[in-house]
Amino acid sequence: MDIKALEDDLRAYRPGTPGAAALHRAHVWPRYEGRCVANLAATMAGALGASVPGALPSLAPDLTGDLLDGVQRVILLVMDALGWLQLRRVMTRYDDVVFHRLAEQGRLVPITTTFLSTTDSVLSSIWTGRPPSQHGLLAFELYLREWMMAVEAIGFSSPFEPFSNTLLRWGFEPEQFLPVPSVGQALSGQGITTVTVTHKQFTTSPLSLMHHRGVTEVRGHNDASDFWLQLRRALHDHRGKRLLLAGYWSAVDTLGHKFGPEDESGEMEVRAISMLMDDIFLKRLDPALGEKTLLLMTADHGQILTRRAVTPVMAEHPQLMDMLWMPPLGEGRVPFLYVRNGMYDAVWDYLHAHFGDIFVFMSREQVLESGLLGPGPLYAEVPFRVGDIVGIAREDGSVVADFKDLDRLAGRHGGLSPEEMLVPLLAVRLDA
């Protein structure tokens, strides 16, 4: 398989939809038709002899070949922020990481994530098989019309007091939020066991409760070694069953935000994942548990190192803020702007005059018609959550509210750069 050709195709592709031509030449389009993380749900279900009604199609057959044949167990590992380009850098520098061996036994190819390339949205697509246009969880900060407020959409709290369980205290029911069913719900009705392993602090978060509807068992781990041990034990405890076992690991994202995705800390974290995965999980796995077992590893997104020089500070633009009825939401790399009545043209002109070399700007209608959020049917709340005008960072720019936010995050994501949009798909049979 020509990996370079696959990557080149992902980088070069543009659909003929309205607005697509306006994007920056380096932007990567989300490939919902079969080369995207959102296609994993149908792929995994199909391998297990089941289906996820309403889901996007399975991954294109050339990506998986015959690896899906005769599968009884699927293991899905989501390594938060381990983008394709970062993984390839580590593999180029280190011959001893386990991903070389696994790629030789199976396949390691690039695919795209969804748009926006941010955790809550992408994980929602993985756990429902639906694009953001249908599940409606678009970005980290969203305006929720039904609650008449802006929220950070992981802990569902005020952006000014994130992860404080604000909406939970007010009666918010996470299990009822997404308008589409989960993979766990679909598989449980077809006799398939689903187990997830995530950090214990995430097991009861609003986002996890949304995603884990219908899941048979949720296991919380304590640290890195325990993560791999819990995965191995889950396989053992559910032996003899058709099984989807999902694991989520967040450390690459945490380090990338703090130090930047090209820092040595991220590189060492990938090496640590390799060592623990090989020593605690793969080498100690009972061969009988590896039979008819497919291992998939991917990421929700990558990260890009942003520069202060191309990071506007909204506090320095009071004229613009006076024309908006709330601060920008969405992501720093993809701000959603809500415009005061009668101010649209003035805001549009201001944005292009001051930030036009940093962002591509699209109207709400252009975004919805472009297909960036995926195919329909469009969830009714999506137009209210997108904002009147959407900015998409051209290269390594971002936007922040004030000066204290300038250095808060070194690495960011949400946008359409190759660093953010290209993610790995490792597929390997453990009985090979």
Side-chain angles (χ1 to χ4, degrees), residues 304-331:
I304 188 170
L305 182 66
T306 53
R307 290 187 296 137
R308 290 178 57 123
V310 286
T311 301
V313 179
M314 294 303 292
E316 289 193 307
H317 296 272
Q319 181 182 346
L320 174 61
M321 293 298 290
D322 286 345
M323 294 188 286
L324 305 177
W325 59 272
M326 68 169 67
L329 300 178
E331 302 282 340

Side-chain angles (χ1 to χ4, degrees), residues 1-226:
M1 178 172 284
D2 189 338
I3 305 302
K4 183 178 185 303
L6 288 174
E7 182 178 334
D8 289 345
D9 174 71
L10 294 176
R11 287 174 177 263
Y13 178 82
R14 284 288 187 278
T17 55
L23 296 180
H24 188 266
R25 56 180 172 75
H27 283 159
V28 172
W29 194 270
R31 299 292 295 275
Y32 298 107
E33 77 280 7
R35 299 183 181 277
C36 177
V37 294
N39 303 114
L40 283 167
T43 304
M44 297 185 297
L48 292 168
S51 64
V52 180
L56 288 167
S58 297
L59 288 165
D62 65 300
L63 298 179
T64 55
D66 61 357
L67 293 171
L68 309 182
D69 296 346
V71 167
Q72 291 294 305
R73 286 167 295 280
V74 175
I75 304 166
L76 173 66
L77 303 177
V78 179
M79 300 293 162
D80 197 322
L82 181 54
W84 169 255
L85 298 180
Q86 183 175 5
L87 178 59
R88 295 301 296 174
R89 280 198 306 271
V90 174
M91 292 179 66
T92 298
R93 292 173 183 170
Y94 299 98
D95 294 333
D96 59 343
V97 292
V98 72
F99 308 116
H100 289 288
R101 187 181 83 230
L102 295 177
E104 291 175 0
Q105 293 175 204
R107 298 191 177 193
L108 177 59
V109 297
I111 57 174
T112 78
T113 187
T114 64
F115 179 74
L116 283 58
S117 54
T118 195
T119 298
D120 58 341
S121 185
V122 183
L123 290 184
S124 296
S125 287
I126 291 174
W127 275 104
T128 65
R130 309 294 186 99
S133 59
Q134 296 180 33
H135 65 62
L137 194 47
L138 307 179
F140 176 60
E141 292 184 345
L142 287 178
Y143 172 67
L144 300 185
R145 180 176 64 145
E146 60 271 44
W147 285 85
M148 295 185 293
M149 67 179 292
V151 301
E152 54 83 5
I154 292 181
F156 284 79
S157 301
S158 164
F160 299 101
E161 193 182 12
F163 309 108
S164 58
N165 296 325
T166 306
L167 265 62
L168 288 177
R169 296 198 302 270
W170 296 350
F172 177 68
E173 296 179 299
E175 295 89 345
Q176 306 302 317
F177 181 73
L178 295 181
V180 292
S182 71
V183 169
Q185 288 172 311
L187 296 185
S188 65
Q190 299 171 74
I192 296 173
T193 300
T194 52
V195 179
T196 68
V197 178
T198 188
H199 195 278
K200 62 180 181 180
Q201 74 183 62
F202 300 144
T203 56
T204 58
S205 73
L207 192 64
S208 292
L209 294 175
M210 293 174 195
H211 297 161
H212 297 161
R213 292 169 294 160
V215 167
T216 309
E217 180 185 3
V218 178
R219 296 191 176 203
H221 70 82
N222 293 282
D223 51 32
S225 59
D226 191 36

